[in-house]
């Protein structure tokens, strides 16, 4: 297999067709893996490390066909996923027709010989991802010491079979709240695939009130999301709730043929219960539309478990090349000097 390292956004754009072809041949496809997500993150996501020069995208070809692609960049001498701050799931793209172990062995042999770094830290890959086996591979090939830790949970529901498992008291309370509002006002729901400036203004205002300065403050991430929406509108789903014509709650997330993913919810705190009412509406609409899965994405917020009783796990893989310095650091860690060892390893174990 022939590998090359892409260091600029233009080099990445040149292989867009190859990327999309490979994307159609991976085992588990997510919106976060789309070429548009990667490209727009590099171009527009605020305060990102992923700029020309720090990009370290490794592409592996055989017979002119792209078989593996690592969307990596360098963060302070750490090899990591480019979209680390802005995705719920990350992955290395690998052709599902290949022997994963063999292809990744060739990959990490190449990386060890051609890229200078202190450690690898790959965050938020799913428990069903091929990277789950990479931890074993890296330890087996003898050039790395690898650790794997649980990093997050992502509650979900198989919506066609799990609806009966919803917490009935919560559902009843939401329905009562809805009826109470409808005695004096009109509730209207709408959904489409367009994330408008009005939507973003509402989200920014409510996020600023609830969280202070955040990624939406001052329109920081507007360009990223609007350009992404232009590129892949078929994956976007925007839900809105109005009371007497006033916008009181918004959710924008993503959809595929089988799944709706719950990404950014937001509601006006002056309208008590609006967020829960919209959430239940989204779940019921997801079911009536024939979708198979409602994915609440990363996070252990209590309200998610009212409707999701299944949990997927995300993991972080940390690996150190077995240089002389790292062997000393790892010895300190294994010898029980936990605080010193963890400090020397960069707080990553």
């Amino acid at each position: 297999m022939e590998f090359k390292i892409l260091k600029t956004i233009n080099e990445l754009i040149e292989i867009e067709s190859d990327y999309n072809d490979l994307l159609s041949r991976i085992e588990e496809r997510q919106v976060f893996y789309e070429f548009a997500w990667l490209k727009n993150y590099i171009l527009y996501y605020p305060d990102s490390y992923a700029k020309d020069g720090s990009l370290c995208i490794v592409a592996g070809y055989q017979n002119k066909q792209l078989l593996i692609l690592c969307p990596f960049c360098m963060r302070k001498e750490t090899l990591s996923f480019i979209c680390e701050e802005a995705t719920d799931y990350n992955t290395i793209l690998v052709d599902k027709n290949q022997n994963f172990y063999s292809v990744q062995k060739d990959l990490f042999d190449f990386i060890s010989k051609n890229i200078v770094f202190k450690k690898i830290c790959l965050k938020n890959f799913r428990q069903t991802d091929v990277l789950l086996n990479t931890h074993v591979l890296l330890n087996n090939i003898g050039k790395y010491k690898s650790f794997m830790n649980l990093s997050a949970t992502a509650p979900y529901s198989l919506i066609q079979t799990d609806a009966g498992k919803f917490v009935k008291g919560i559902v009843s309370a939401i329905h009562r709240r809805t009826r109470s509002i409808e005695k004096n006002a009109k509730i209207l729901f709408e959904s489409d695939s367009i994330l408008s400036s009005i939507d973003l203004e509402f989200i920014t205002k409510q996020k600023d009130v609830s969280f202070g300065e955040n990624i939406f403050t001052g329109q920081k991430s507007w360009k990223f999301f609007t350009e992404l929406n232009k590129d892949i509108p078929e994956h976007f789903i925007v839900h809105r709730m109005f009371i007497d014509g006033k916008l009181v709650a918004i959710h924008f997330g993503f959809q595929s043929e089988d799944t709706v993913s719950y990404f950014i919810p937001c509601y006006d705190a002056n309208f008590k219960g609006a967020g829960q009412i919209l959430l239940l509406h989204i779940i019921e609409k997801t079911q009536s539309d024939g979708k198979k899965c409602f994915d609440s994405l990363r996070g252990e917020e209590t309200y998610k478990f009212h409707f999701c009783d299944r949990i997927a796990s995300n993991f972080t893989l940390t690996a150190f090349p077995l240089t002389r310095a790292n062997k000393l650091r790892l010895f300190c860690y294994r010898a029980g000097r936990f605080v010193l060892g963890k400090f020397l390893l960069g707080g990553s174990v």
Side-chain angles (χ1 to χ4, degrees):
M1 186 174 297
E2 296 180 2
F3 292 97
K4 60 181 179 180
I5 301 172
L6 313 180
K7 288 285 189 178
T8 69
I9 182 64
N10 286 335
E11 289 177 297
L12 175 64
I13 289 172
E14 286 176 2
I15 68 160
E16 179 176 359
S17 176
D18 291 345
Y19 184 105
N20 287 329
D21 182 47
L22 173 58
L23 193 63
S24 71
R25 292 181 279 112
I26 67 171
E27 280 201 335
E28 185 178 271
R29 188 165 178 170
Q30 297 284 338
V31 66
F32 305 112
Y33 310 159
E34 295 291 323
F35 185 85
W37 195 291
L38 183 59
K39 178 193 72 174
N40 286 302
Y41 178 90
I42 295 169
L43 290 173
Y44 304 118
Y45 200 80
D47 306 321
S48 164
Y49 280 95
K51 308 296 180 186
D52 284 358
S54 67
L55 297 181
C56 200
I57 302 166
V58 184
Y61 281 85
Q62 191 170 70
N63 299 325
K64 297 184 179 180
Q65 185 177 42
L66 183 62
L67 298 182
I68 185 167
L69 185 130
C70 307
F72 289 167
C73 71
M74 198 70 72
R75 285 180 171 84
K76 299 179 180 179
E77 300 181 279
T78 297
L79 202 59
S80 57
F81 284 123
I82 288 172
C83 301
E84 183 176 285
E85 302 96 336
T87 58
D88 283 64
Y89 307 131
N90 286 300
T91 195
I92 291 174
L93 305 182
V94 185
D95 186 325
K96 63 185 177 183
N97 299 309
Q98 300 301 307
N99 181 301
F100 293 149
Y101 191 95
S102 176
V103 171
Q104 289 192 77
K105 183 179 183 301
D106 291 344
L107 165 72
F108 285 102
D109 280 342
F110 172 84
I111 287 174
S112 68
K113 294 173 183 176
N114 294 276
I115 302 174
V116 178
F117 57 93
K118 285 188 175 179
K119 65 183 176 184
I120 300 171
C121 187
L122 305 179
K123 296 183 178 180
N124 286 317
F125 60 91
R126 288 162 59 86
Q127 66 187 47
T128 53
D129 197 272
V130 297
L131 275 174
L132 201 64
N133 298 317
T134 306
H135 164 62
V136 175
L137 180 149
L138 289 175
N139 286 327
N140 283 351
I141 63 178
K143 296 179 180 179
Y144 299 87
K145 179 60 181 176
S146 172
F147 301 87
M148 191 166 65
N149 298 310
L150 181 68
S151 59
T153 58
Y156 69 99
S157 173
L158 298 180
I159 206 75
Q160 298 301 329
T161 57
D162 290 352
K165 301 178 183 179
F166 296 166
V167 177
K168 294 179 175 57
I170 297 296
V171 174
S172 297
I174 295 172
H175 284 152
R176 284 196 301 272
R177 178 61 184 158
T178 304
R179 290 193 296 270
S180 176
I181 293 172
E182 289 178 328
K183 288 179 181 178
N184 303 301
K186 182 179 179 180
I187 297 176
L188 175 67
F189 299 103
E190 68 174 30
S191 62
D192 59 41
S193 63
I194 304 301
L195 183 65
S196 70
S197 59
I198 294 174
D199 298 332
L200 286 165
E201 286 171 3
F202 179 88
I203 292 168
T204 300
K205 179 180 177 181
Q206 303 308 325
K207 293 289 185 184
D208 284 351
V209 170
S210 300
F211 301 106
E213 186 172 348
N214 61 87
I215 196 61
F216 289 95
T217 301
Q219 303 185 13
K220 283 183 184 178
S221 60
W222 285 29
K223 183 73 171 175
F224 168 66
F225 286 117
T226 54
E227 292 299 318
L228 189 63
N229 190 202
K230 290 177 187 176
D231 284 349
I232 50 172
E234 69 277 10
H235 287 296
F236 269 69
I237 183 69
V238 183
H239 301 95
R240 306 176 189 89
M241 174 181 167
F242 299 85
I243 295 181
D244 281 346
K246 180 179 176 60
L247 182 62
V248 297
I250 281 180
H251 161 258
F252 86 84
F254 308 106
Q255 62 178 343
S256 65
E257 182 178 350
D258 294 332
T259 301
V260 166
S261 299
Y262 190 69
F263 189 58
I264 301 289
C266 190
Y267 63 94
D268 187 335
N270 294 316
F271 290 83
K272 185 178 179 182
Q276 286 188 321
I277 293 171
L278 180 59
L279 172 58
L280 181 58
H281 167 77
I282 293 167
I283 291 171
E284 291 175 340
K285 187 175 190 305
T286 299
Q287 185 180 22
S288 66
D289 286 347
K291 304 288 187 184
K292 295 179 181 178
C293 179
F294 174 78
D295 187 350
S296 74
L297 301 180
R298 286 186 299 146
E300 299 180 4
E301 295 88 344
T302 301
Y303 71 85
K304 292 184 177 183
F305 295 98
H306 296 154
F307 305 100
C308 303
D309 74 332
R310 299 171 186 252
I311 300 175
S313 297
N314 278 13
F315 293 89
T316 293
L317 175 72
T318 307
F320 301 89
L322 290 177
T323 62
R324 185 175 299 177
N326 274 345
K327 286 179 181 179
L328 176 60
R329 294 175 181 126
L330 288 162
F331 173 79
C332 291
Y333 186 83
R334 284 195 295 260
R337 300 186 181 96
F338 181 80
V339 176
L340 174 61
K342 191 166 184 177
F343 173 76
L344 290 172
L345 291 171
S348 299
V349 178

